[in-house]
Amino acid sequence: MDAVRRQRLYFSILALAILAVIGALFFYPLKQNFNLFYTPSQIAKGLVAAGQSFHLGGQVKKGTIKQNSNNLQVAFVVSDPQHNVLVEYEGVLPDSFREGQSVVIDGCLDEVGIMQAKRVLIKR
């Protein structure tokens, strides 16, 4: 191998190493802010720890919506075919929120296993 080819090889290796470092520096912080989508069955299996922020997806179970008439607190159950998760939320719900509606809830589990919702989204 002559000197020109060796120099090109070293330059290529150096360029790839620099790109790898830049990629790692860019994607590593994103890993910490990544919220996963879980179903009630996955939560029942213990895949989510208390205090961990995540998205819960499922349907609002019929007959479970309980609103407090004095404030904006509401509790309801999100379910899939096998399991249920109790959700507590304080705030204004979307206009189309109703029983049987598919929802995505953003929040975290408390120590008892009740999801404390920060945001309620409707799936259409």
Side-chain angles (χ1 to χ4, degrees):
M1 183 182 289
D2 64 353
V4 173
R5 285 189 178 172
R6 187 175 304 131
Q7 186 177 17
R8 286 182 186 164
L9 177 64
Y10 290 150
F11 179 76
S12 298
I13 292 172
L14 179 64
L16 287 174
I18 289 172
L19 285 175
V21 169
I22 290 172
L25 290 174
F26 179 76
F27 287 109
Y28 181 73
L30 294 178
K31 182 179 98 170
Q32 296 170 350
N33 295 331
F34 191 66
N35 277 335
L36 296 175
F37 182 94
Y38 290 98
T39 64
S41 293
Q42 290 172 321
I43 293 170
K45 291 178 185 175
L47 297 178
V48 178
Q52 176 185 348
S53 181
F54 68 100
H55 296 295
L56 167 67
Q59 290 188 331
V60 178
K61 192 170 183 178
K62 294 184 190 259
T64 63
I65 299 174
K66 297 190 178 22
Q67 291 184 320
N68 188 334
S69 60
N70 297 332
N71 53 30
L72 296 175
Q73 291 181 336
V74 63
F76 55 93
V77 173
V78 174
S79 66
D80 65 8
Q82 290 85 24
H83 293 91
N84 301 320
V85 174
L86 179 60
V87 176
E88 293 180 348
Y89 177 67
E90 184 171 352
V92 178
L93 290 168
D95 291 337
S96 57
F97 181 85
R98 67 186 188 311
E99 295 175 345
Q101 177 73 45
S102 295
V103 293
V104 175
I105 311 295
D106 181 21
C108 60
L109 287 179
D110 62 11
E111 297 79 25
V112 183
I114 298 172
M115 180 159 189
Q116 301 299 319
K118 297 176 189 165
R119 187 170 50 171
V120 176
L121 304 170
I122 301 298
K123 289 174 65 177
R124 295 180 190 226

PDB file of all heavy atoms in Angstrom, residues 20-29:
ATOM      1  N   ALA A  20     -19.355   8.762  14.416  1.00  0.00           N
ATOM      2  CA  ALA A  20     -19.888   7.916  15.478  1.00  0.00           C
ATOM      3  C   ALA A  20     -19.996   8.679  16.795  1.00  0.00           C
ATOM      4  O   ALA A  20     -20.999   8.578  17.514  1.00  0.00           O
ATOM      5  CB  ALA A  20     -19.024   6.675  15.653  1.00  0.00           C
ATOM      6  N   VAL A  21     -18.999   9.466  17.117  1.00  0.00           N
ATOM      7  CA  VAL A  21     -19.028  10.262  18.353  1.00  0.00           C
ATOM      8  C   VAL A  21     -20.133  11.313  18.280  1.00  0.00           C
ATOM      9  O   VAL A  21     -20.890  11.503  19.241  1.00  0.00           O
ATOM     10  CB  VAL A  21     -17.657  10.911  18.605  1.00  0.00           C
ATOM     11  CG1 VAL A  21     -17.740  11.943  19.719  1.00  0.00           C
ATOM     12  CG2 VAL A  21     -16.631   9.854  18.951  1.00  0.00           C
ATOM     13  N   ILE A  22     -20.261  11.980  17.151  1.00  0.00           N
ATOM     14  CA  ILE A  22     -21.313  12.988  16.991  1.00  0.00           C
ATOM     15  C   ILE A  22     -22.691  12.332  17.107  1.00  0.00           C
ATOM     16  O   ILE A  22     -23.589  12.859  17.768  1.00  0.00           O
ATOM     17  CB  ILE A  22     -21.153  13.736  15.655  1.00  0.00           C
ATOM     18  CG1 ILE A  22     -19.931  14.637  15.706  1.00  0.00           C
ATOM     19  CG2 ILE A  22     -22.403  14.561  15.333  1.00  0.00           C
ATOM     20  CD1 ILE A  22     -19.572  15.269  14.372  1.00  0.00           C
ATOM     21  N   GLY A  23     -22.869  11.191  16.485  1.00  0.00           N
ATOM     22  CA  GLY A  23     -24.143  10.467  16.587  1.00  0.00           C
ATOM     23  C   GLY A  23     -24.462  10.065  18.012  1.00  0.00           C
ATOM     24  O   GLY A  23     -25.599  10.204  18.472  1.00  0.00           O
ATOM     25  N   ALA A  24     -23.472   9.571  18.735  1.00  0.00           N
ATOM     26  CA  ALA A  24     -23.694   9.171  20.132  1.00  0.00           C
ATOM     27  C   ALA A  24     -24.048  10.381  20.987  1.00  0.00           C
ATOM     28  O   ALA A  24     -24.953  10.311  21.825  1.00  0.00           O
ATOM     29  CB  ALA A  24     -22.446   8.480  20.675  1.00  0.00           C
ATOM     30  N   LEU A  25     -23.371  11.490  20.787  1.00  0.00           N
ATOM     31  CA  LEU A  25     -23.674  12.700  21.547  1.00  0.00           C
ATOM     32  C   LEU A  25     -25.061  13.245  21.225  1.00  0.00           C
ATOM     33  O   LEU A  25     -25.722  13.842  22.071  1.00  0.00           O
ATOM     34  CB  LEU A  25     -22.622  13.776  21.279  1.00  0.00           C
ATOM     35  CG  LEU A  25     -21.232  13.502  21.853  1.00  0.00           C
ATOM     36  CD1 LEU A  25     -20.253  14.575  21.372  1.00  0.00           C
ATOM     37  CD2 LEU A  25     -21.277  13.454  23.372  1.00  0.00           C
ATOM     38  N   PHE A  26     -25.532  13.029  20.028  1.00  0.00           N
ATOM     39  CA  PHE A  26     -26.848  13.512  19.625  1.00  0.00           C
ATOM     40  C   PHE A  26     -27.961  12.605  20.151  1.00  0.00           C
ATOM     41  O   PHE A  26     -28.969  13.080  20.658  1.00  0.00           O
ATOM     42  CB  PHE A  26     -26.925  13.605  18.094  1.00  0.00           C
ATOM     43  CG  PHE A  26     -28.256  14.063  17.598  1.00  0.00           C
ATOM     44  CD1 PHE A  26     -28.620  15.396  17.685  1.00  0.00           C
ATOM     45  CD2 PHE A  26     -29.148  13.164  17.055  1.00  0.00           C
ATOM     46  CE1 PHE A  26     -29.848  15.824  17.229  1.00  0.00           C
ATOM     47  CE2 PHE A  26     -30.381  13.581  16.598  1.00  0.00           C
ATOM     48  CZ  PHE A  26     -30.731  14.915  16.682  1.00  0.00           C
ATOM     49  N   PHE A  27     -27.811  11.288  20.042  1.00  0.00           N
ATOM     50  CA  PHE A  27     -28.885  10.371  20.378  1.00  0.00           C
ATOM     51  C   PHE A  27     -28.946   9.973  21.849  1.00  0.00           C
ATOM     52  O   PHE A  27     -29.988   9.569  22.335  1.00  0.00           O
ATOM     53  CB  PHE A  27     -28.812   9.108  19.508  1.00  0.00           C
ATOM     54  CG  PHE A  27     -29.240   9.366  18.098  1.00  0.00           C
ATOM     55  CD1 PHE A  27     -28.312   9.359  17.072  1.00  0.00           C
ATOM     56  CD2 PHE A  27     -30.552   9.630  17.788  1.00  0.00           C
ATOM     57  CE1 PHE A  27     -28.691   9.602  15.764  1.00  0.00           C
ATOM     58  CE2 PHE A  27     -30.953   9.888  16.494  1.00  0.00           C
ATOM     59  CZ  PHE A  27     -30.023   9.873  15.480  1.00  0.00           C
ATOM     60  N   TYR A  28     -27.869  10.066  22.597  1.00  0.00           N
ATOM     61  CA  TYR A  28     -27.891   9.670  24.003  1.00  0.00           C
ATOM     62  C   TYR A  28     -28.873  10.497  24.833  1.00  0.00           C
ATOM     63  O   TYR A  28     -29.652   9.937  25.595  1.00  0.00           O
ATOM     64  CB  TYR A  28     -26.491   9.724  24.615  1.00  0.00           C
ATOM     65  CG  TYR A  28     -26.482   9.292  26.054  1.00  0.00           C
ATOM     66  CD1 TYR A  28     -26.641   7.940  26.382  1.00  0.00           C
ATOM     67  CD2 TYR A  28     -26.368  10.210  27.087  1.00  0.00           C
ATOM     68  CE1 TYR A  28     -26.659   7.527  27.697  1.00  0.00           C
ATOM     69  CE2 TYR A  28     -26.388   9.805  28.410  1.00  0.00           C
ATOM     70  CZ  TYR A  28     -26.533   8.474  28.706  1.00  0.00           C
ATOM     71  OH  TYR A  28     -26.567   8.067  30.003  1.00  0.00           O
ATOM     72  N   PRO A  29     -28.912  11.815  24.719  1.00  0.00           N
ATOM     73  CA  PRO A  29     -29.898  12.581  25.501  1.00  0.00           C
ATOM     74  C   PRO A  29     -31.339  12.268  25.117  1.00  0.00           C
ATOM     75  O   PRO A  29     -32.239  12.358  25.942  1.00  0.00           O
ATOM     76  CB  PRO A  29     -29.575  14.037  25.186  1.00  0.00           C
ATOM     77  CG  PRO A  29     -28.175  14.036  24.724  1.00  0.00           C
ATOM     78  CD  PRO A  29     -27.969  12.714  24.051  1.00  0.00           C
TER      79      PRO A  29
END
